[in-house]
Amino acid sequence: MSHRRRSQAAAPPEEGAGDFSPPSPGKARRLRPWPERRVLALALAFRAANALLVRTYFNPDEHWQGLEVAHRIAFGYGHLTWEWKQGLRSYLHPLIFAALYKFLAFLHLDTPWFMAMAPRLLQSVFAAFGDLYLYKLSKLMFDEHVAQWTMFSQLVNWFMFFCITRTLSNSLETVLTVVGLYYWFMAIESSKRVSVGSKQQTTSCQRPQSRKVALLIAALACAIRPTSAITWLYVGLLDFIQIKSKCRFLFLEVIPLGAIVLAVTTLLDWWMYGSRVIVPLNFLKFNLFSSGGDYYGTHVFHWYFTQGFPSMIWTFLPFSVLGVIKSREWRLSGLISWVLGVYSILGHKEFRFVLPVLPLALMFSGYCLAAMSQFKGKSLHGRRHFSRLQLSVILLVITNVPMALYMSLFHQRGTEDVMFYLSKEAHDGSVNSVLFLMPCHSTPYYSSLHSSLPMRFLDCTPSDNKGILDESDRFLMNPLDFVGEVFGNLSSFSHIVLFESEERRVLPLLLRDSFQEVRRFFHSHFKIDRDLQSSVVIIQSSLLALMPHDKVCM
């Protein structure tokens, strides 16, 4: 499979191709290129606003596998989930945010607002560089015109807005994937240029240098998310077949760089864990060979193709499909299909797992929109009307922007708001201890509270015996009996947090122990995978005198 040249996108339109022909060379030459500094400035400003507008809860891993661990590293307290006790996670990703927390503490800025927003603002910087390199990749693969429309697609897509500034390891993996692909294809492009004299020498030096940068970035992506190897296995094998000096590539580039990154990250994990663990091996054994991820639910084989990825790309889907067909860039479109196909084999599926190929699909949407922009429609009487491009842009904006804002500002925001409220109360000394009577990991934890108060949540650690229900499942089946059996007298907690749907079922116990509602936060308008959780309620004991508490390291 050969690499598509950029000149293909600038080929003259085929006769009868309509609005989906590739951009014409004349039009492409008349375009004023965007300086990369301006693109980066735009991306930084946009993603900063993006981060500030994300106020909702999406996936527990954003807090429990990243920020919670980082908070424990930086401040000495924070909860480690069962994955960390089994050596399934690398400390490389949390250490980034641990450094941020240390910096905030040094400046005495570790206040509730900064603790809540600073991590996403840092991730917004990474996301902005991902936008820049997607622009550069589109320009490399096609041309300036396509790159500009790709930027439009990337910034308007609702799921990218909703997810890319979150502190998920998948978000950073996505950025690294785009950057790595740019340098990889830069190396391929350099090797195909025909030069003479000193230019040829420059090209030959540039090719291996870019490829080494790409391999280093790929290794870092795999260190953060071992499943990123799925992407790079496809990319590497296709080029390995065509490389003449296979031994040089394998033994002087791939193996040394991979070994260095693996050694450094392994030593880092040994130091942080305090024991010898090989995280990538443990991760792959649990998720691929033992299907451990199935504990959290499974989906049908075709879910990514019929529901997951179409929901993410949303109304950009037809434009991306047309862009694939008209560009005939089968290498990158094949990568998208490969990733979706391999992840489809796994029983447990989530939207975020395939986030790294979403920017590539949006790049094909940019190709389609760039091709459409070459034509201007007119009515039968010669009067201008909305072109297909204008109608398409309107459609994409009105279907993505409202959805992005709703999902980022309103849907499932109660569990974020309740922790921000508790963090301010704890900062003022008004909270003694907290019990979360809700499905486990429904809220952030110490990383948001930022106070070493005793807290308790319902455990959901997987059991070796599949017939044993965890605390979270037992509570949802019969909240009243479970609370009475496990906790007995609730008055040992100063505050209890629970969803409105469960509040009604444990109300007799709350009244018996003299609890009363102090705040209620809107959470969602519709249910996702369980009963409607319309609001989150904070119940406070009216009898418990708030006494000074001892700091607890969880």
Side-chain angles (χ1 to χ4, degrees):
M1 188 180 299
S2 62
H3 173 65
R4 302 298 301 176
R5 295 187 300 267
R6 279 185 295 168
S7 58
Q8 175 187 317
E14 301 173 4
E15 185 177 356
D19 285 353
F20 305 108
S21 301
S24 64
K27 183 70 174 179
R29 282 195 298 268
R30 287 195 298 270
L31 278 174
R32 177 178 298 178
W34 291 355
E36 291 182 1
R37 290 183 179 179
R38 184 174 299 177
V39 174
L40 179 59
L42 168 65
L44 286 170
F46 183 87
R47 292 304 178 195
N50 185 171
L52 294 174
L53 288 173
V54 174
R55 299 296 184 89
T56 55
Y57 196 82
F58 170 45
N59 187 279
D61 282 10
E62 178 182 3
H63 299 283
W64 291 82
Q65 304 300 347
L67 300 184
E68 190 68 16
V69 182
H71 193 276
R72 183 183 179 93
I73 297 171
F75 300 106
Y77 62 96
H79 183 84
L80 294 182
T81 61
W82 62 271
E83 291 99 327
W84 295 91
K85 297 172 184 177
Q86 294 189 15
L88 299 178
R89 304 279 182 174
S90 173
Y91 276 93
L92 181 61
H93 182 247
L95 278 171
I96 298 173
F97 298 100
L100 173 66
Y101 284 150
K102 282 289 190 181
F103 180 71
L104 291 177
F106 176 76
L107 297 178
H108 301 289
L109 292 176
D110 52 331
T111 61
W113 189 90
F114 277 102
M115 292 297 292
M117 300 309 302
R120 284 178 178 166
L121 286 170
L122 176 60
Q123 177 58 35
S124 74
V125 176
F126 300 145
F129 278 94
D131 296 335
L132 170 65
Y133 274 89
L134 181 63
Y135 173 86
K136 295 173 67 173
L137 178 62
S138 304
K139 188 175 179 180
L140 175 70
M141 301 297 293
F142 301 114
D143 59 27
E144 174 74 26
H145 201 189
V146 174
Q148 293 176 5
W149 281 106
T150 297
M151 194 71 172
F152 164 82
S153 302
Q154 173 86 342
L155 299 184
V156 171
N157 176 258
W158 83 270
F159 193 83
M160 193 60 67
F161 186 95
F162 174 69
C163 190
I164 196 63
T165 60
R166 295 182 183 272
T167 53
L168 293 160
S169 59
N170 309 87
S171 300
L172 186 55
E173 177 196 10
T174 300
V175 173
L176 291 174
T177 299
V178 172
V179 177
L181 287 175
Y182 168 76
Y183 284 107
W184 186 270
F185 284 105
M186 171 65 78
I188 296 175
E189 184 72 15
S190 299
S191 66
K192 293 191 174 184
R193 291 173 186 167
V194 179
S195 306
V196 293
S198 60
K199 292 183 179 180
Q200 186 174 8
Q201 185 178 358
T202 302
T203 299
S204 63
C205 293
Q206 182 182 8
R207 175 175 55 84
Q209 192 66 28
S210 297
R211 193 164 64 190
K212 288 178 182 178
V213 173
L215 288 170
L216 178 61
I217 294 172
L220 289 173
C222 292
I224 292 174
R225 292 282 304 175
T227 49
S228 189
I230 295 172
T231 298
W232 291 101
L233 181 64
Y234 171 94
V235 174
L237 282 179
L238 286 182
D239 284 320
F240 184 75
I241 296 172
Q242 300 179 11
I243 291 176
K244 295 180 180 179
S245 55
K246 290 181 172 57
C247 291
R248 176 185 175 85
F249 171 68
L250 190 61
F251 292 104
L252 296 182
E253 295 184 33
V254 176
I255 293 179
L257 286 171
I260 291 172
V261 173
L262 179 62
V264 171
T265 54
T266 299
L267 290 173
L268 175 66
D269 289 329
W270 286 8
W271 177 49
M272 296 301 299
Y273 274 104
S275 61
R276 294 183 179 181
V277 296
I278 302 179
V279 171
L281 181 60
N282 294 341
F283 184 90
L284 293 175
K285 283 171 60 178
F286 180 82
N287 288 283
L288 296 181
F289 304 134
S290 66
S291 300
D294 293 357
Y295 178 83
Y296 294 104
T298 59
H299 297 78
V300 294
F301 173 81
H302 55 77
W303 184 80
Y304 280 122
F305 291 97
T306 59
Q307 301 175 56
F309 200 66
S311 298
M312 295 165 62
I313 197 169
W314 196 227
T315 49
F316 283 95
L317 178 60
F319 300 95
S320 296
V321 172
L322 287 170
V324 169
I325 295 171
K326 298 306 295 184
S327 69
R328 291 175 291 177
E329 177 47 67
W330 306 120
R331 188 186 191 94
L332 286 177
S333 59
L335 174 58
I336 297 171
S337 299
W338 163 262
V339 170
L340 297 180
V342 173
Y343 273 107
S344 294
I345 299 174
L346 305 178
H348 180 60
K349 300 175 176 64
E350 295 185 32
F351 295 103
R352 62 191 178 94
F353 291 168
V354 295
L355 181 64
V357 295
L358 180 58
L360 303 182
L362 294 172
M363 183 170 67
F364 286 110
S365 173
Y367 185 97
C368 179
L369 293 171
M372 293 172 63
S373 68
Q374 307 307 308
F375 300 89
K376 298 180 180 179
K378 293 186 178 181
S379 67
L380 294 176
H381 301 288
R383 289 179 295 183
R384 292 181 58 81
H385 62 81
F386 283 115
S387 66
R388 290 189 185 182
L389 174 67
Q390 291 170 325
L391 291 174
S392 298
V393 169
I394 293 172
L395 170 68
L396 293 170
V397 169
I398 65 175
T399 54
N400 281 272
V401 173
M403 190 168 182
L405 293 176
Y406 175 77
M407 295 297 291
S408 300
L409 287 170
F410 300 105
H411 182 60
Q412 298 190 131
R413 71 169 292 161
T415 51
E416 295 269 342
D417 289 342
V418 72
M419 291 307 298
F420 186 66
Y421 170 82
L422 287 174
S423 68
K424 292 190 294 184
E425 291 291 296
H427 188 266
D428 295 335
S430 301
V431 179
N432 192 14
S433 56
V434 185
L435 171 63
F436 296 88
L437 289 177
M438 52 207 330
C440 71
H441 306 150
S442 292
T443 69
Y445 212 50
Y446 282 110
S447 61
S448 290
L449 188 75
H450 192 46
S451 181
S452 56
L453 298 170
M455 295 200 294
R456 171 77 156 87
F457 69 95
L458 304 181
D459 184 62
C460 59
T461 301
S463 172
D464 294 334
N465 187 343
K466 294 184 178 180
I468 298 179
L469 297 177
D470 58 41
E471 288 185 349
S472 184
D473 289 333
R474 288 164 56 198
F475 171 74
L476 292 175
M477 288 179 63
N478 195 329
L480 192 61
D481 290 347
F482 173 82
V483 173
E485 175 186 345
V486 176
F487 297 103
N489 188 354
L490 294 173
S491 59
S492 59
F493 297 96
S494 66
H495 291 74
I496 297 176
V497 181
L498 68 173
F499 287 116
E500 181 188 31
S501 55
E502 277 72 48
E503 177 200 20
R504 298 189 297 268
R505 302 172 68 181
V506 298
L507 189 59
L509 283 178
L510 297 175
L511 294 175
R512 184 198 69 183
D513 295 333
S514 302
F515 278 87
Q516 59 185 6
E517 177 184 328
V518 291
R519 286 296 298 268
R520 183 178 295 262
F521 298 94
F522 165 78
H523 187 60
S524 64
H525 290 109
F526 53 89
K527 64 180 182 180
I528 300 298
D529 54 0
R530 50 177 65 97
D531 293 339
L532 175 63
Q533 299 165 338
S534 58
S535 60
V536 181
V537 186
I538 299 181
I539 311 293
Q540 181 177 344
S541 173
S542 59
L543 298 179
L544 182 65
L546 296 178
M547 302 294 293
H549 55 80
D550 296 329
K551 292 189 176 182
V552 178
C553 295
M554 301 293 288

